[in-house]
Amino acid sequence: MNNNIYLNQAQLNAEINRCLNCKNHPCMTACPISCNPQEFIQLAKNGNYSGAVKSISDANPMGQTCGLICPDKFCMKACTRSRLDFPINIPKVQASIMEKHHNIQDTLKSPRSNGHKIAIIGAGPAGIAACFQLLKKGYNVIIFEASDKVGGALNLIPGNRLPSEVINKEWGFIKDNPLLETHFNTVIKNPQSLLKQGFEHIIVASGEPNVINLDIEGEELTVSYIDYLHNPQKYATNGNVAIIGGGAVATDCALTARNTGAQNVEMFIRRRISDMRITNEERKNLLENGIDLTGMTKIKKVQTEKNLLTLHTCKTKFVGNKLEEIPETTIKRPDFSLIIKAIGSYAPHFEDTDKITYAGDCKTGGSTIVEALSSGKSAAEKIIQQY
Ligand SMILES: Cc1cc2nc3c(=O)[nH]c(=O)nc-3n(C[C@H](O)[C@H](O)[C@H](O)COP(=O)(O)OP(=O)(O)OC[C@H]3O[C@@H](n4cnc5c(N)ncnc54)[C@H](O)[C@@H]3O)c2cc1C
Ligand code: SF4
């Protein structure tokens, strides 16, 4: 376990004492799932940690996980304190309170079953939030999950940022609820088929399982971020590693390659380095770990040469908002042992029907944990109003 991901008691006290207790709680307004930092920080400040845990857990079934990985663009960006000096590190405060004071001994309580049977496809954050909300109102919930565990894309996040125990701990509070049934290793190809089995409503929360391809010669020589992050040790190398892509997932790939022994890691980004959609913390980690960033560069081809991989790259330029290749700038970049493709993923788009509601990344496109949770919660609320 990486202890730096939590604050010690002295750090926690220092951080919560900086809270200005704003009555209009801008932090809560900025949180997609309406967690209330102003409230839980004041409770913690008064020593009422069980109240703080309850405040977080009532709003959010994955409060500790969010605390560890929520980006700084929500509650922290809204924190009034940033106008005085710098914002309170609300996510870290939240994660630390949950780590120290949320002891899972019991199971989420439900009222007596209301007789309605709802199916959820996918047990990532969106599916978990929908399940949590429905169980609290007495619905019978049956989850179908393609893999052998809950968490979805969270399972790809490196353990030094998000230890798997945290996901298990939060699921531990839900999993034994008597109104819940789970079917792991079960792929549902057609949600309509579940309606024929007697489910009244289906929530599809299947994420974005398809990797976006580069459509270039030699693409088969690259490894997708999904395959890589599922089992980084399988691809561990002390040679040079290229990452194609410049977002948060590409950043996780780069840092993981570095932590598993790569000599040099270089990220190739089509846009400017300043356009990378990553947090300040991620930017700092890339710099501190000596990851090379090559911006305004497009990959044209991959080939094998002398048992290693060569990239053919060319420079790009903006013409208005569009990126174009600069002619005659193609060069060869040889000597890579591993090339990881991390330019995104997608899901086919479907519209909601009367009986089928889409939630999370499969509905909105790649987002964040807290947005996926909020989307799952809204899907459940829609059902609660309907039945
Ligand atoms: C490497 C990486 C790092 C990330 N880092 C962050 C971060 O730091 N902060 C942040 O906020 N977000 C981060 N995210 C994004 C976050 O993980 C996602 O936004 C979130 O997990 C989406 O939740 P979801 O429930 O919509 O989908 P998913 O988490 O993708 O879950 C979908 C689930 O559905 C299952 N499924 C799919 N198809 C079927 C089917 N046909 N039948 C049954 N089950 C099915 C899948 O197995 C999966 O378990 C990261 C994502 C990745 C990949
Ligand atoms: S859930 Fe995430 S965005 Fe919301 S208050 Fe907590 S850390 Fe901030």
Side-chain angles (χ1 to χ4, degrees), residues 31 35 37 60 66 70 74-75 91 94 370:
C31 171
C35 244
N60 186 343
C66 278
C70 268
F74 299 120
C75 53
Q94 181 174 309
V370 67

Side-chain angles (χ1 to χ4, degrees), residues 45-341:
K45 216 168 169 175
N46 294 328
N48 183 357
Y49 281 100
S50 59
V53 166
K54 187 169 178 330
S55 165
I56 297 165
S57 312
D58 282 352
N60 186 343
M62 304 197 82
Q64 186 166 341
T65 311
C66 278
L68 291 176
I69 66 164
C70 268
D72 53 13
K73 65 179 177 180
F74 299 120
C75 53
M76 257 178 93
K77 193 169 175 200
C79 179
T80 314
R81 186 82 210 196
S82 60
R83 285 190 235 134
L84 281 184
D85 41 26
F86 51 94
I88 295 174
N89 193 336
I90 296 169
K92 223 165 180 170
V93 167
Q94 181 174 309
S96 307
I97 292 174
M98 294 297 275
E99 166 67 5
K100 286 200 187 72
H101 301 281
H102 193 209
N103 306 312
I104 308 280
Q105 277 142 359
D106 52 353
T107 295
L108 171 67
K109 303 246 179 331
S110 288
R112 186 194 291 255
S113 164
N114 61 16
H116 294 295
K117 238 173 95 179
I118 311 296
I120 298 176
I121 302 174
I128 291 176
C131 164
F132 178 73
Q133 211 63 14
L134 291 168
L135 290 175
K136 285 201 289 186
K137 296 285 179 188
Y139 289 79
N140 290 76
V141 177
I142 294 83
I143 295 189
F144 299 94
E145 166 54 48
S147 74
D148 59 357
K149 52 177 173 285
V150 300
L154 300 178
N155 293 303
L156 297 177
I157 297 180
N160 58 2
R161 281 211 299 129
L162 174 59
S164 56
E165 305 90 87
V166 177
I167 304 172
N168 294 337
K169 172 182 168 186
E170 301 198 285
W171 178 240
F173 180 58
I174 302 174
K175 73 178 175 54
D176 295 324
N177 182 289
L179 299 184
L180 174 66
E181 201 179 298
T182 41
H183 297 268
F184 289 102
N185 301 307
T186 308
V187 177
I188 303 295
K189 292 216 170 93
N190 178 6
Q192 292 278 355
S193 64
L194 295 177
L195 290 175
K196 292 186 193 121
Q197 291 174 31
F199 290 101
E200 282 165 89
H201 203 108
I202 320 295
I203 293 179
V204 183
S206 49
E208 284 194 308
N210 309 302
V211 170
I212 295 178
N213 287 325
L214 298 157
D215 287 327
I216 55 168
E217 193 183 329
E219 179 149 16
E220 69 284 359
L221 299 170
T222 67
V223 176
S224 79
Y225 76 87
I226 295 187
D227 290 340
Y228 178 66
L229 290 173
H230 260 304
N231 189 358
Q233 282 307 334
K234 180 174 159 193
Y235 301 97
T237 170
N238 55 10
N240 300 325
V241 176
I243 315 287
I244 305 174
V249 172
T251 299
D252 270 341
C253 292
L255 294 170
T256 304
R258 168 64 91 219
N259 289 339
T260 47
Q263 189 182 16
N264 289 304
V265 182
E266 183 169 354
M267 294 173 79
F268 291 88
I269 304 133
R270 280 191 339 143
R271 293 173 167 269
R272 292 173 293 234
I273 291 167
S274 57
D275 294 330
M276 289 171 76
R277 289 201 289 166
I278 54 176
T279 62
N280 289 338
E281 181 78 14
E282 285 163 338
R283 211 172 279 278
K284 188 169 138 250
N285 282 339
L286 288 174
L287 285 175
E288 282 177 1
N289 283 279
I291 308 293
D292 293 327
L293 304 177
T294 302
M296 302 305 287
T297 300
K298 183 176 169 187
I299 308 301
K300 306 254 304 178
K301 177 176 159 183
V302 184
Q303 72 175 123
T304 312
E305 281 183 322
K306 298 184 200 145
N307 286 329
L308 287 170
L309 297 166
T310 296
L311 286 171
H312 293 236
T313 68
C314 77
K315 298 311 284 178
T316 57
K317 64 173 180 193
F318 278 102
V319 178
N321 283 335
K322 266 185 71 185
L323 268 182
E324 280 184 12
E325 286 177 25
I326 304 179
E328 294 175 26
T329 54
T330 302
I331 54 164
K332 276 177 143 196
R333 293 291 315 275
D335 298 332
F336 289 102
S337 308
L338 176 66
I339 298 175
I340 302 166
K341 174 174 65 177

